[in-house]
Amino acid sequence: MTDWKELESKYFMHTFERVPVVLVRGQGTRVWDENSREYLDLVSGWAVNSLGHCHPVVVEAVKEQVGTLIQTSNQFYTIPQLKLAELLVKSSGLDKVFLCNSGAEANEGAAKLARRYGERKLGSAYKIITALGSFHGRTLAMVAATGQAKHQQPYVPLPDGFVNVAYDNIAAIKAATTKETCAVMVEPLQGEGGVNVPGEDYLKEVRAWCDENGILMILDEVQTGIGRLGSLFACQQACVVPDVMTLAKGLASGIPIGAILAREEAAVFQPGEHGSTFGGNPVTCAAAYATVKYIVDNKLSDKAARTGKYFTEGLEKLKNKYSFIREIRGRGLLLAMEFDREIAQAALNACLEKGLLVNRVKPSVLRFMPPLIITREEVDEAVGILDRVLAEMNL
Ligand SMILES: *Cc1c(COP(=O)(O)O)cnc(C)c1O
């Protein structure tokens, strides 16, 4: 049998710390490795497989489109991207859509859009305020936007124009705003930063401040959007409509995609000012349309809210049982368990042994982001495995 791990170390750049399993198949909330071992998947491709693995509506949509028209170029009109744009606009309350291929690319495009806005309407203001602990992607500019030293430090000097301030702190945003500021960009809840939930008023305060100063509010919903937090978009829970919103991860249930949504007044790109070869590709858009339509038609956001609540209750019971669990936090189906010591990797490894995939988002924090279709029985199964794992840690 081929040693795929050996092949990886020989041929693949060493950018990922891999979990030592080779996954070969997925169905619903389950995946299987090369030895046919089954796992319950609470990682979902990093909050991507919103409908689970290989959901029939996604598989059918892709199959049909891939045999019809795979790629043209954005010189031409194609139908799947226009159907998707209409669906995204009608379900978000925003006005215009641009399609690309990843979260970083969506945020990068949003930053460029903010600079065009600043140039046209704010006397060439170009600075974007972002948050410490944020994550906006891996391009050079988004590394500058991402307020985490470990992502920035290897790549200095970074592109100019990003100011990182404390998260969940409107005073910090106010203090950093100058006449050079064109936008504030934040996540509704910081995912990669460790599942950091801001206070209830934070997004409203950011909205009000941006309105007061005529600057753009950009919400990075790459991880929180498309049902994950228990509403189609997280901003709906805060009753806030941003000027610009970015999406990616869960949008096409596993096919690579990114999207920028904007209010009419903020959608200032002129022809030629931004573009993409693959963005809005027919196959990708067919998958995204099928995903979003299924989530809306079947009210999967509401289900995510209910299942998330149930999951949280299960995790809270574990917290009451194990004194080394410091906190359970998150919303919907983006949850985290923080320990009072750095045992997340050991817990992850032990879960793996028992057939459960979880994510270590920080040395002391596990993150859970299952497909939105996960059932209560599967949540019970996951909590049961976590219980046994934590009991066996003998702390
Ligand atoms: C994952 C993530 C990104 C980057 O998305 P990629 O598709 O990996 O480029 C950006 N913002 C947030 C909030 C994310 O969670």
Side-chain angles (χ1 to χ4, degrees):
M1 209 165 98
T2 308
D3 186 343
W4 299 108
K5 292 167 204 161
E6 172 73 26
L7 233 67
E8 200 269 3
S9 72
K10 190 162 178 203
Y11 294 117
F12 206 92
M13 285 195 201
H14 193 204
T15 54
F16 299 103
E17 277 178 56
R18 313 252 192 193
V19 174
V21 265
V22 180
L23 297 177
V24 296
R25 191 164 71 83
Q27 191 63 60
T29 53
R30 311 275 167 174
V31 287
W32 288 265
D33 70 13
E34 56 180 341
N35 304 313
S36 303
R37 263 206 80 185
E38 183 179 306
Y39 303 87
L40 177 58
D41 184 6
L42 303 191
V43 181
S44 326
W46 287 329
V48 166
N49 304 105
S50 34
L51 300 187
H53 295 272
C54 303
H55 193 286
V57 301
V58 178
V59 172
E60 282 316 308
V62 169
K63 267 191 186 164
E64 162 131 22
Q65 189 58 45
V66 92
T68 307
L69 183 68
I70 295 179
Q71 159 78 353
T72 59
S73 79
N74 281 309
Q75 237 180 312
F76 305 100
Y77 296 90
T78 49
I79 295 165
Q81 69 171 232
L82 299 173
K83 284 174 65 179
L84 175 62
E86 181 182 31
L87 181 59
L88 288 175
V89 162
K90 289 195 167 158
S91 50
S92 68
L94 292 162
D95 302 311
K96 291 281 161 66
V97 176
F98 178 84
L99 294 168
C100 54
N101 309 286
S102 69
E105 203 187 331
N107 288 331
E108 183 90 21
K112 286 172 72 182
L113 184 64
R115 285 205 180 178
R116 294 314 291 141
Y117 187 86
E119 203 266 332
R120 295 207 162 105
K121 308 204 178 181
L122 302 171
S124 293
Y126 68 99
K127 287 190 176 162
I128 300 176
I129 297 172
T130 66
L132 290 166
S134 62
F135 187 80
H136 298 296
R138 302 283 191 164
T139 62
L140 208 46
M142 286 309 105
V143 163
T146 291
Q148 295 193 53
K150 69 172 179 189
H151 293 302
Q152 297 187 336
Q153 205 273 326
Y155 299 106
V156 290
L158 297 171
D160 190 18
F162 296 91
V163 186
N164 309 144
V165 305
Y167 186 59
D168 192 19
N169 184 334
I170 189 66
I173 291 176
K174 290 182 178 176
T177 305
T178 68
K179 62 180 190 332
E180 292 186 315
T181 307
C182 65
V184 176
M185 175 160 82
V186 291
E187 295 157 85
L189 173 165
Q190 292 183 331
E192 304 304 309
V195 187
N196 306 321
V197 187
E200 265 190 33
D201 294 333
Y202 182 57
L203 294 184
K204 272 207 187 81
E205 290 167 343
V206 174
R207 178 69 275 177
W209 181 249
C210 290
D211 284 342
E212 208 172 301
N213 290 274
I215 59 180
L216 296 180
M217 176 180 184
I218 305 173
L219 263 194
D220 177 348
E221 291 235 24
V222 165
Q223 185 159 160
T224 54
I226 315 298
R228 177 130 315 262
L229 261 54
S231 49
L232 194 58
F233 305 104
C235 59
Q236 292 165 335
Q237 291 179 37
C239 299
V240 158
V241 182
D243 300 299
V244 181
M245 174 163 73
T246 54
L247 301 171
K249 291 193 162 86
L251 179 52
S253 209
I255 307 292
I257 189 169
I260 308 170
L261 277 60
R263 286 175 49 214
E264 186 77 51
E265 308 78 61
V268 294
F269 280 143
Q270 297 292 315
E273 288 184 352
H274 195 51
S276 172
T277 298
F278 291 118
N281 166 284
V283 179
T284 306
C285 291
Y289 181 84
T291 300
V292 178
K293 188 152 178 0
Y294 189 90
I295 289 173
V296 171
D297 288 351
N298 294 281
K299 299 192 165 60
L300 278 195
S301 313
D302 297 346
K303 181 174 152 61
R306 288 192 303 274
T307 319
K309 192 160 174 286
Y310 182 73
F311 196 176
T312 305
E313 286 162 12
L315 295 172
E316 286 288 352
K317 279 185 198 142
L318 296 181
K319 176 171 173 275
N320 294 336
K321 189 165 165 188
Y322 300 102
S323 61
F324 54 91
I325 300 178
R326 180 181 285 160
E327 190 185 32
I328 304 301
R329 59 176 182 260
R331 195 173 291 157
L333 287 173
L334 182 54
L335 300 172
M337 173 183 279
E338 173 152 12
F339 303 109
D340 67 3
R341 60 200 87 181
E342 301 195 343
I343 53 168
Q345 187 64 43
L348 181 156
N349 294 340
C351 285
L352 194 65
E353 285 297 308
K354 296 189 182 348
L356 181 70
L357 303 185
V358 297
N359 172 250
R360 178 199 57 112
V361 68
K362 279 182 160 185
S364 60
V365 184
L366 286 180
R367 179 173 48 160
F368 314 109
M369 40 194 162
L372 307 183
I373 55 161
I374 192 170
T375 64
R376 284 178 173 230
E377 292 68 33
E378 288 166 328
V379 166
D380 290 341
E381 184 184 337
V383 171
I385 292 174
L386 282 165
D387 192 3
R388 281 191 285 142
V389 162
L390 299 175
E392 286 167 19
M393 291 192 115
N394 280 322
L395 294 173

